Amino acid sequence: MSNPLRAALVGLLWLPALSYAGPLRDDVLELLNGYEDAPTATDFAKLGDGVSAELMEIADDHGVASSRRSRAISALQHYPQPTVRGFLESHLDQADKGILRRKAAMALGAGFGAEAVPKLTGALDDDDTLVRVAVVQALGMTQAPEAREVLEARLENEQVESVRTAIAKALEAK
Amino acid sequence: MSLSARTLAACSLWIPAMLFACSGDDEPVDPCDGETDWSVVVGADEEELQREDLGNVNLSDTGGYVDLTVDVPSGAVSTAVHCGFDEDALGAVWALTDPDGTVVYDGQAAFDGDFDAYAYRSDFTDARSTALIPISKDVPLASGSWDVQFFLGAGNGGKASCEAVHRIDEAGTEATVFVNLVFVGPEGLDACGASTDDGFQSALEQFESEWASAGLTPVYNYLDFQGDKGKYGVIEIDEGDYSEFNDLLRTAAPANARTVTFFFVEEIVDLASGGTTVLGLSAGPPGVPATNGTSKSGLVISAVDFDSAPTDIGKIMAHEGGHFLGLFHTTEKDGSRHDILGDTPECPPSADANDGGSLSVSECAGKGGENAMFWTLTEGKATFSNDQGWVLRRNPAVD
């Protein structure tokens, strides 16, 4: 399946969530525009309800710069809800850009803890080296004991140096 | 400006361009026709710089402080004193006293929260710090003996190396900056390709239009990164650990150091915030100008938007380049702090119309939201103020 078609299908799947999008869009987008500053959970919380829907819409808006789409996905870590988890899992599988898949992995790890370990474990076999590095980092972010076992096992089989380095760092930090 | 042997060689190969390129100024070589490593870099006249080795200081003997006396020669338009070491520590300029004996900066005031006490600023960054003068018209560079004190982190046994760079020159209303564009990532973007790519060139057009408002004209050296792309393609920062970023900057080794080096990477990732993308990151501010191989010898741009929003890349370049050359944010995120310049609009916390705790471009319209050094990306073409241009054009890396 081509990437655009895949992205369109993903968008359709999340149509119900998008129905909430709209009034906060500009405020949310402005928070994503900092040169060096990453927006925090507090920043988004101050905007009130409906932010997660805006973030999902921005993440799927091809008219928005990729860096802001990726930041929108990262920000979803602050909304550990089933809808958001499903959105992130689907984007880890099949977002239209590698960076969006990487952000989905890390948002799952940072926002969903042990719940995210099975999905992340499955992504350790991804063909994209940078996605594998992000998944390793995401497993580290879960701080779940089972993630450590997964990483130790992967270290025995992983062949790519940058992924092995990421695993070593994640294990060291845990 | 001097005409280097390398340029002569390049000119002999570039017959069609000779009428323009070889009329007395150094001109970069075509990146699709030869080497694209540090050796081909052309820059401003290095003979206009005076370098002064200020020696080494054992920090364990001084409690982390470094006290230096720096003699600024007559005719200098700017001086950069940098001091530091390669370990993990936080450093800043702690005090500055001009040749008249006036204390023009005391870091304790800023440490205590009084950010307006002095028309000078130095933030804690890493283990190497730069005292750049001038960074505002209110603290001009006078010739004579300056006392410069750094604090580079107590309780460590590092040995700090220190150097001064003086620019003996004139500074007018227009200036040239030789810019090294070094392609580490993303995959598929290299020096030759970027030099003809429509998207990348539109990024440069945006960059040039914003820097033009400060009287700066960039001239480019296109370079391919010669180091480990696997290691530096994605730069990771984490909870104050900027070692990967600093290590990449240490690789800067242009043949002519009087240049500013922009590294393009696939992405800068802030792991502490759950992997959020950072759009750009400069050494400093300010960076160590016209000096190779330090943790502050350049800046890094996330090339994420290379295909989706190239003009944003140009804006990021203009902003981070401004930091490197000595500018701070005109207004910080929450409006609690502003830069030290007299003519840059300040957006106060009271402008936060949605009580979101951070000031947006729309909330700060007419109050600096249009400035290239506002804390977020601006709409359309951002500009620099007269004072910002004045600072930028005096930097030792600028000609």
Side-chain angles (χ1 to χ4, degrees):
Chain A
M1 193 186 295
S2 69
N3 276 345
L5 183 57
R6 201 184 288 164
L9 285 175
V10 170
L12 283 174
L13 281 173
W14 295 103
L15 206 52
L18 302 189
S19 63
Y20 297 103
L24 289 173
R25 183 181 173 89
D26 288 347
D27 288 340
V28 172
L29 263 176
E30 296 238 35
L31 271 181
L32 302 175
N33 272 342
Y35 288 101
E36 300 96 3
D37 289 88
T40 64
T42 306
D43 293 331
F44 290 112
K46 284 182 178 172
L47 296 181
D49 296 333
V51 171
S52 60
E54 295 288 359
L55 289 168
M56 287 189 279
E57 182 179 84
I58 291 167
D60 279 341
D61 186 342
H62 291 241
V64 173
S66 299
S67 61
R68 269 43 64 78
R69 292 177 67 197
S70 82
R71 281 180 161 186
I73 291 180
S74 294
L76 286 167
Q77 69 183 278
H78 305 307
Y79 299 90
Q81 304 147 357
T83 312
V84 170
R85 182 176 159 192
F87 180 91
L88 293 173
E89 287 183 348
S90 72
H91 281 63
L92 171 56
D93 285 339
Q94 52 189 0
D96 58 297
K97 289 175 181 285
I99 187 171
L100 304 182
R101 299 182 61 215
R102 304 198 300 265
K103 298 306 155 190
M106 287 198 266
L108 279 167
F112 292 84
E115 284 178 52
V117 172
K119 180 68 184 176
L120 292 169
T121 302
L124 278 174
D125 289 323
D126 201 277
D127 291 340
D128 185 327
T129 301
L130 290 179
V131 168
R132 285 214 300 287
V133 169
V135 168
V136 166
Q137 290 165 334
L139 282 164
M141 289 173 188
T142 65
Q143 299 191 339
E146 54 267 48
R148 182 177 189 90
E149 294 167 20
V150 170
L151 290 170
E152 285 172 342
R154 182 71 198 186
L155 191 56
E156 292 179 11
N157 302 317
E158 179 60 53
Q159 301 297 313
V160 177
E161 192 55 38
S162 58
V163 185
R164 291 181 60 83
T165 302
I167 293 172
K169 272 189 192 174
L171 289 172
E172 197 177 297
K174 285 179 76 68
Chain B
M1 288 184 191
S2 63
L3 191 61
S4 69
R6 179 167 296 280
T7 304
L8 285 170
C11 288
S12 67
L13 293 171
W14 257 44
I15 303 298
M18 280 182 69
L19 282 177
F20 301 98
C22 302
S23 57
D25 290 344
D26 282 340
E27 288 289 335
V29 298
D30 182 346
C32 297
D33 186 21
E35 298 298 315
T36 55
D37 60 24
W38 294 117
S39 68
V40 303
V41 167
V42 295
D45 186 354
E46 290 188 282
E47 292 183 0
E48 291 172 345
L49 301 182
Q50 277 186 22
R51 297 181 190 275
E52 190 180 348
D53 185 352
L54 298 169
N56 299 308
V57 176
N58 282 317
L59 296 171
S60 57
D61 298 337
T62 65
Y65 290 91
V66 177
D67 287 286
L68 301 169
T69 298
V70 179
D71 292 320
V72 174
S74 175
V77 295
S78 61
T79 287
V81 186
H82 65 98
C83 204
F85 59 113
D86 289 342
E87 292 173 31
D88 189 19
L90 286 177
V93 179
W94 198 245
L96 269 181
T97 304
D98 71 14
D100 291 334
T102 304
V103 176
V104 296
Y105 181 66
D106 180 346
Q108 189 64 47
F111 195 71
D112 292 340
D114 185 0
F115 301 128
D116 298 324
Y118 296 96
Y120 196 85
R121 175 170 170 180
S122 180
D123 297 343
F124 279 91
T125 51
D126 64 8
R128 180 163 297 277
S129 205
T130 310
L132 176 64
I133 314 165
I135 55 171
S136 84
K137 284 182 173 175
D138 294 329
V139 180
L141 181 67
S143 58
S145 292
W146 287 71
D147 292 330
V148 183
Q149 183 182 58
F150 293 93
F151 179 71
L152 296 175
N156 62 63
K159 179 181 279 192
S161 62
C162 308
E163 185 193 45
V165 181
H166 311 286
R167 175 181 163 197
I168 316 297
D169 196 2
E170 292 177 356
T173 56
E174 301 290 330
T176 300
V177 188
F178 287 83
V179 168
N180 305 319
L181 307 170
V182 183
F183 297 93
V184 185
E187 204 172 313
L189 185 65
D190 63 12
C192 175
S195 70
T196 56
D197 182 89
D198 288 344
F200 192 77
Q201 293 305 309
S202 68
L204 294 186
E205 282 174 25
Q206 183 73 29
F207 170 56
E208 289 162 15
S209 74
E210 296 195 4
W211 267 26
S213 70
L216 295 181
T217 302
V219 177
Y220 306 112
N221 296 294
Y222 285 84
L223 306 169
D224 286 309
F225 185 59
Q226 304 298 311
D228 185 349
K229 287 192 176 185
K231 179 177 180 184
Y232 295 115
V234 174
I235 294 292
E236 295 165 3
I237 57 174
D238 191 9
E239 295 270 19
D241 177 4
Y242 284 68
S243 56
E244 206 165 281
F245 166 73
N246 290 330
D247 286 347
L248 176 58
L249 299 187
R250 285 189 182 98
T251 68
N256 184 321
R258 201 171 168 199
T259 51
V260 179
T261 298
F262 289 61
F263 290 97
F264 291 87
V265 298
E266 167 98 17
E267 185 194 359
I268 305 167
V269 182
D270 180 3
L271 294 177
S273 70
T276 305
T277 302
V278 177
L279 303 186
L281 210 51
S282 170
V288 177
T291 304
N292 293 348
T294 79
S295 60
K296 284 189 158 48
S297 293
L299 58 99
V300 182
I301 305 289
S302 281
V304 178
D305 295 328
F306 169 58
D307 58 351
S308 62
T311 56
D312 281 357
I313 300 240
K315 287 169 171 286
I316 300 164
M317 291 175 69
H319 179 92
E320 299 303 335
H323 279 318
F324 183 85
L325 296 172
L327 301 182
F328 293 84
H329 289 160
T330 52
T331 294
E332 297 293 354
K333 182 177 181 179
D334 61 0
S336 63
R337 196 169 186 189
H338 303 93
D339 69 15
I340 52 173
L341 301 176
D343 73 343
T344 45
E346 296 184 354
C347 191
S350 59
D352 185 12
N354 68 354
D355 283 328
S358 62
L359 294 166
S360 67
V361 165
S362 54
E363 289 169 336
C364 294
K367 304 186 190 79
E370 307 79 8
N371 193 283
M373 298 310 294
F374 192 67
W375 77 276
T376 71
L377 282 158
T378 54
E379 298 288 337
K381 177 189 162 187
T383 55
F384 291 91
S385 74
N386 289 336
D387 282 8
Q388 286 174 318
W390 186 90
V391 170
L392 293 172
R393 293 191 301 275
R394 275 157 182 76
N395 189 282
V398 175
D399 192 18

